[in-house]
């Protein structure tokens, strides 16, 4: 009879090999629990020192220096202690397959997987199809670039269609598709749909900081993960929050952050174990995943007409909460995975957010049938890239969401979604400018509204007439035009409503961060809102450029104990 140690070792080896083959059967969190248990009862187990998995093919290449894994933690306090007083580089930890690229005289001559850390599989013929991997760089030095091959959501959707078209099975997981394609013996050209980000640069030259390395990679035209150099703990906390948001909403998979001491000298001073370097630490999110079944798919219409799907699932306990709704993002995901009632799916939840869909575990017996008509107005839907859209300008739910977004953004705090529905149902308002025609007495016909609350609603609406320009434009809900972009435009001397409404594509493209496609959409959006702008102006809405107040230093240096 096997001991618990032997059971754990066998399970870890089994699941590690499946993971690196792109066919993971358990979640990262469940795998980490197996390792943690083994570490507790047998810390000397050689299985804990294993890096990656043994290459499957005979086409193996030895790494010039061992390609190690990372030590990881889920504990913020442990991270804080590890950082100490050092400046650290914090970068997104991409969830794909690690890759090593070797350049001689500027030419890409080798590409290999992590493998077991000592030997990797030769994948040169496959990475040559990946557009984001430079085939030549401006250096004569022998150097190595390490990074992550991953798949973006949009590329995955297009890849699914391509694979079905050429007679291959549709992929079942965004997480496993990378290892799946890199392990194929045919159709190497499918790796065109994959992306690459560089995170490590190894050459003979001695670098002073990690940031300097990353800047060199950028100079050589490599894509980099989002990163910042943190010298304060508050900067670390902000980056963790930003990463958590991307984990739940981003266009590709990440599973946390990697922290690296910025001083390169520390890498030599601290050294490494047989498993990981001591100058790096992965901070991962404590997410929990479970398998459940889809019982229904609900569709709602956003303010821009986009149809957003949510799966209603058999209730399961996840991270201390009962979950019955799962975001499916958009039609492209539903179509790529052929999602339908009866499908068993894996879902994950991290933090206080709605869980998201990961993969199909088993397909239900129902036939996949895409949505064809708007659930609000019954008009035919159109496919716009990976979205289904309702183009009916008088779609009731679309209008409701436009007004609700305006109310929330402009700062009319006490009129909730429920109150808005009442106002629409009574016919008191039909569009945004109607808000400014309401009288105090109009609110009295609403449920449980007396004089005091009616006056409060009226006063808040009136106060919103004096809005700063950024808030006002953002409240219009123009696709792709958030507060940061609006501020950039204003800072480039388009600082009045009149100037903004007349801006051209050419003028927008001269501003940093505005590409041709997004500029066209913004200009079109502003033109479409011209009638609305005129009506709001006639209703007495006045906009002004907000000036930043100089911060007072009266409390500087003081400490308060509460």
């Amino acid at each position: 009879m096997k001991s618990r140690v032997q059971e754990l070792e066998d399970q870890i080896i089994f699941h590690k090999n499946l993971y690196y083959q792109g066919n993971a059967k358990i979640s990262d969190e469940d795998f980490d629990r197996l390792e943690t248990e083994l570490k507790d009862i047998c810390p000397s187990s050689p299985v804990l020192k294993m890096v990656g998995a043994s290459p499957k093919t005979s086409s193996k290449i030895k790494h010039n220096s061992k390609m190690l894994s990372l030590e990881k933690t889920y504990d913020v306090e442990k991270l804080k202690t590890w950082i100490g007083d050092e400046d650290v580089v914090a970068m997104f930890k991409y969830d794909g397959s690690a890759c090593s690229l070797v350049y001689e005289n500027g030419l890409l001559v080798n590409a290999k997987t992590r493998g077991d850390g000592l030997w990797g599989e030769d994948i040169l013929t496959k990475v040559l199809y990946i557009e984001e991997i430079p085939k030549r760089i401006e250096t004569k030095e022998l150097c190595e670039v390490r990074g992550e091959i991953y798949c973006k959501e949009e590329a995955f959707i297009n890849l699914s269609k391509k694979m079905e078209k050429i007679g291959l099975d549709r992929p079942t997981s965004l997480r496993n598709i990378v290892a799946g394609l890199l392990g194929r013996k045919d159709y190497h050209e499918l790796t065109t749909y994959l992306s690459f980000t560089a995170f490590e640069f190894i050459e003979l030259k001695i670098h002073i900081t990690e940031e300097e390395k990353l800047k060199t990679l950028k100079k050589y035209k490599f894509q980099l993960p989002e990163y910042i150099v943190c010298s304060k703990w508050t900067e670390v906390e902000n980056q963790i929050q930003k990463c958590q948001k991307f984990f739940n909403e981003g266009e590709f998979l990440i599973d946390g952050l990697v922290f690296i001491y910025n001083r390169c000298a520390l890498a030599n001073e601290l050294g490494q174990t047989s498993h990981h370097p001591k100058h790096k630490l992965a901070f991962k999110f404590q997410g929990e995943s479970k398998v459940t079944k889809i019982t229904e798919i609900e569709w709602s219409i956003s303010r821009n007409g986009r149809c957003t799907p949510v799966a209603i699932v058999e209730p399961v306990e996840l991270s201390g909460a009962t979950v019955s709704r799962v975001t499916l993002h958009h039609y492209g995901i539903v179509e790529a995975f052929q999602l339908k009632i009866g499908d068993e799916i894996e879902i994950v939840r991290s933090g206080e957010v709605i869980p998201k869909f990961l993969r199909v575990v088993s397909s239900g017996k129902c036939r996949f049938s895409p949505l064809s008509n708007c659930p609000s107005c019954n008009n035919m839907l159109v496919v716009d890239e990976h979205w289904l859209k309702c183009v009916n300008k008088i779609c009731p739910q679309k209008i409701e969401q436009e007004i609700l977004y305006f109310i929330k953004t402009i700062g009319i705090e006490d009129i909730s979604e429920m109150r808005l529905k009442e106002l629409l149902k009574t016919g008191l308002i039909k569009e945004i400018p109607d808000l400014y025609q309401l009288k105090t007495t109009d609110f009295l016909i609403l449920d449980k509204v007396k004089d005091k609350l009616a006056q409060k609603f009226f006063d808040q609406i009136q106060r919103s007439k004096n809005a700063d320009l950024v808030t006002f434009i953002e409240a219009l809900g123009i696709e792709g035009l958030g507060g940061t972009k609006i501020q950039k435009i204003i800072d480039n001397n388009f600082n009045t409503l009149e100037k903004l409404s007349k801006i051209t594509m050419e003028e927008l493209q001269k501003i940093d961060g505005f590409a041709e496609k997004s500029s066209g959409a913004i200009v079109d959006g502003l033109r479409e809102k011209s009638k609305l702008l005129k009506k709001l102006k006639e209703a007495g809405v006045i906009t002004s450029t907000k000036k930043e107040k100089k911060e007072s230093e009266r409390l500087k240096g003081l400490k308060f104990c509460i």
Side-chain angles (χ1 to χ4, degrees), residues 7-158:
E7 286 178 357
L8 288 167
E9 288 177 337
D10 288 349
Q11 286 182 55
I12 287 168
I13 292 168
F14 174 73
H15 287 296
K16 183 166 277 196
N17 281 322
L18 284 178
Y19 177 83
Y20 284 103
Q21 290 166 23
N23 191 29
K25 297 297 184 188
I26 61 173
S27 68
D28 286 359
E29 291 74 27
D30 288 339
F31 180 82
D32 290 342
R33 276 192 276 272
L34 293 175
E35 280 199 328
T36 300
E37 186 182 346
L38 181 58
K39 197 178 291 184
D40 288 341
I41 61 178
C42 187
S44 61
S45 170
V47 171
L48 293 170
K49 297 182 176 68
M50 283 177 59
V51 176
S54 299
K56 304 193 301 294
T57 68
S58 58
S59 183
K60 297 188 292 185
I61 308 179
K62 192 170 184 178
H63 291 293
N64 296 331
S65 60
K66 196 170 182 183
M67 201 167 175
L68 299 169
S69 292
L70 291 176
E71 175 73 330
K72 55 183 172 284
T73 183
Y74 295 90
D75 187 347
V76 174
E77 287 306 313
K78 182 178 176 181
L79 173 66
K80 192 172 185 179
T81 302
W82 181 86
I83 290 173
D85 297 326
E86 288 293 330
D87 288 358
V88 290
V89 173
M91 62 173 66
F92 282 11
K93 185 177 182 297
Y94 285 50
D95 196 352
S97 291
C99 170
S100 163
L101 308 171
V102 179
Y103 290 84
E104 285 183 12
N105 293 317
L107 291 175
L108 177 62
V109 293
N110 275 327
K112 45 203 166 179
T113 62
R114 184 199 304 277
D116 61 6
L118 287 173
W119 295 84
E121 289 180 35
D122 181 0
I123 54 169
L124 181 61
T125 56
K126 296 163 188 175
V127 304
L128 290 174
Y129 287 99
I130 301 175
E131 190 178 337
E132 290 168 339
I133 292 181
K135 313 309 180 283
R136 181 191 293 272
I137 60 176
E138 294 300 318
T139 181
K140 297 295 180 183
E141 300 289 333
L142 175 67
C143 61
E144 181 181 358
V145 176
R146 291 177 175 178
E148 197 85 1
I149 298 175
Y150 66 103
C151 189
K152 294 177 183 175
E153 193 177 84
E154 183 177 351
F156 179 84
I157 293 164
N158 292 330

Side-chain angles (χ1 to χ4, degrees), residues 406-472:
F406 181 86
I407 286 171
K408 286 182 175 179
T409 309
I410 207 78
I412 307 171
E413 296 172 3
D414 286 306
I415 297 183
S416 64
E417 186 171 1
M418 183 191 75
R419 292 297 186 192
L420 174 60
K421 286 180 186 293
E422 282 187 274
L423 289 167
L424 288 164
K425 193 174 181 180
T426 57
L428 285 169
I429 62 170
K430 292 179 181 177
E431 57 180 352
I432 292 169
D434 292 341
L435 288 165
Y436 297 100
Q437 307 304 323
L438 293 170
K439 301 184 287 293
T440 309
T441 52
D442 291 330
F443 294 104
L444 295 173
I445 68 171
L446 303 181
D447 185 42
K448 296 178 183 176
V449 174
K450 306 296 182 187
D451 291 346
K452 190 175 179 180
L453 186 54
Q455 188 63 48
K456 191 176 183 181
F457 289 156
F458 178 79
D459 291 344
Q460 279 202 356
I461 291 171
Q462 294 307 305
R463 276 198 295 272
S464 73
K465 283 183 175 180
N466 298 302
D468 67 88
L469 192 54
V470 173
T471 303
F472 176 72

